[in-house]
Amino acid sequence: MRRPAITPLAAAAVAAALATSCSSPGSTASGDGGAKEVEVALITSTSGPLASYGEQYLQGFEAGLDHATDGTGRIDGVEIKVSRYDDGGDPAKGVSLAKKSAGQGVRIIAGTAASGVATQIAPVAAQNKILYISGPAATDAVTGANKYTFRSGRQTFQDVATAQQILMKQEDGAEGGSGKGKKVVVLAQDNAFGQANVAAVESVLGTGGTTVDSVLAPPSATDLTPTATKVKAAKPDMVFVAWAGDTAQSMWTTLDQQGVLDAATVVTGLDSRASYPVFGKARDKVTLLAHYVPGAIDNPEAKAVEEYFGKKGWKTDLFTPDGFNAAQMVAQAVREAGADGDTDAMVEALEGHTFAGIKGENTVRASDHALLQPMFQAEFDGDAPKVVLTADAREVAPTEKKIG
C-alpha cells in the first residue's frame, strides 16, 4: 500500500532518481553501497511544437515513479535512474538519442510526444533488443511494431472509435443513424499524426456508405484560412478534427470565423488545459472526445497524482496519464527483470499486464502491445470539462495486429 504522505527523505530519493544524468552507466551499474540500478532514458519533446505535451508527460512520469516506488525511487532494492533528453519533435534527433542511449548500455527507453519520432525509435529498439515504451505519440503504427515496443498512451484508433461511440449514441433511434450516405472530412496536419488519423477514420467510420475525405495542412502553417475554406467547400456532414501543437488556438478561431463550426457536426479530441479558452465560442458547436479529463476520475492513482502535483505546484493535463503509465510499466519491467536488464524478461512482464492508472484500468494486449483503456466524451461545465460518457476499453479496442 502507498503511504498517504511522502517523507522528505523519500521525496529527495525520487528527485535524485529523476535528475538528468551526465554519465553513462549501464543497467547493471552499481551505485553507493553496491546497490544496483537500472537507467531509463526519457526521450521526448521539451522544445518545438509539442513541448507542452512533453512537459506533461515528464511530470506524469515523475509522479508515477514516486507512486510505483512508494517515494523511494527503488523497486526491490534496484534504483531507477532517469536521464531526460529533448528530441525537439525531430525523428533524426530522436533516433540519434536512442542509439546513443543503447550504446551506453541503457536497457529501457521511454517517451516521445511525436508520432514521427516514435515510429523511428521503434526499429532502434528492435535492433538493439532494448525495451521501448512510447509516450503520447498516437500513431497506430507503434502498436505491433516489434517485440520490444510498447506504448503508455492511447492510439489514434481509440480516438476514432470513441467518436464512433459518441455518434452512435447521439443518433440512436434517429432515421439515417447508420451514417449511410454521409460525408466525413478529416482536418489534420500533414504529418505522421495527421495521416494516421485519416487512415483510422477511413477504417472505422468509412464503412456502410460513408465517404471519407481529408484536408491536410502543412504543420508549419500559421495562416489557416485557406485550410478552413477547403473544409467548408467540401460540404461535409461531419468534420473530424485531429490537431496537435501550438497552432490549435489559431485553427479553432479560423474554423469559427469561416463558419465551419456552423456548417457541419464537428468532432474533436479535448486538448490541453491551455486550449480550453479557445472553446469559449465553440462549446455548443463541438462534440468532444477525450483521452483524459483532468480531475474527473476518483481513484487511488488519481489522488496520488493530485497530491504529488499539489506539492510541486503543477496541474494535471492531457498527457499526465501517459507519463504516469510509463513509470508504472517501467516499475513492472524492473520488478520482474531486476537489475540484470534482461529485455526478454521485461517484455514478458509487460505482455498481458493489467494495472491501475489515473484514468482507470489499463491492459497491455499481449498479442500486439496495444494499451487497452477507457475513453471519454466530455463537455464544458463552466470553464472546465467534465465527463458525460465513458467508453469501455473493450468498446474502443484497436483492431488486433500481428507483431511485425
Side-chain angles (χ1 to χ4, degrees), residues 160-338:
V160 181
T162 304
Q164 184 183 49
Q165 290 293 316
I166 292 170
L167 292 174
M168 285 172 59
K169 288 178 171 58
Q170 286 181 339
E171 298 183 352
D172 186 28
E175 186 177 352
S178 66
K180 186 175 182 180
K182 297 293 180 69
K183 183 175 184 179
V184 177
V185 170
V186 182
L187 170 59
Q189 293 147 307
D190 193 4
N191 54 22
F193 173 69
Q195 293 158 7
N197 271 274
V198 174
V201 172
E202 289 176 341
S203 66
V204 179
L205 298 181
T207 58
T210 300
T211 300
V212 177
D213 290 330
S214 63
V215 174
L216 299 178
S220 60
T222 54
D223 180 6
L224 298 170
T225 300
T227 300
T229 301
K230 288 180 182 179
V231 173
K232 189 174 181 180
K235 297 182 178 180
D237 296 291
M238 187 185 85
V239 180
F240 184 96
V241 181
W243 205 272
D246 296 336
T247 57
Q249 183 168 355
S250 174
M251 182 272 299
W252 283 111
T253 299
T254 304
L255 287 185
D256 199 17
Q257 291 173 342
Q258 297 302 312
V260 175
L261 301 182
D262 297 313
T265 299
V266 178
V267 178
T268 192
L270 181 67
D271 205 344
S272 300
R273 286 180 183 269
S275 74
Y276 292 176
V278 78
F279 284 104
K281 296 180 180 180
R283 289 178 183 177
D284 296 328
K285 304 176 183 179
V286 178
T287 299
L288 298 171
L289 61 90
H291 160 51
Y292 170 61
V293 179
I297 306 301
D298 183 16
N299 63 16
E301 289 68 35
K303 289 177 181 177
V305 170
E306 292 294 346
E307 176 188 326
Y308 191 89
F309 273 43
K311 293 180 179 180
K312 292 285 188 176
W314 299 339
K315 290 185 177 181
T316 55
D317 215 325
L318 184 65
F319 293 118
T320 303
D322 302 51
F324 187 90
N325 288 346
Q328 302 287 90
M329 295 169 73
V330 166
Q332 170 67 5
V334 173
R335 184 177 294 110
E336 296 300 320

Side-chain angles (χ1 to χ4, degrees), residues 156-169 204-205 361 365 371-377 389-399:
T156 298
F157 188 102
Q158 288 160 310
D159 286 340
V160 181
T162 304
Q164 184 183 49
Q165 290 293 316
I166 292 170
L167 292 174
M168 285 172 59
K169 288 178 171 58
V204 179
L205 298 181
E361 185 177 272
R365 192 161 62 190
L371 187 65
L372 308 185
Q373 60 196 284
M375 298 285 285
F376 312 98
Q377 179 186 354
L389 170 70
T390 299
D392 185 89
R394 294 167 295 181
E395 293 179 326
V396 295
T399 302

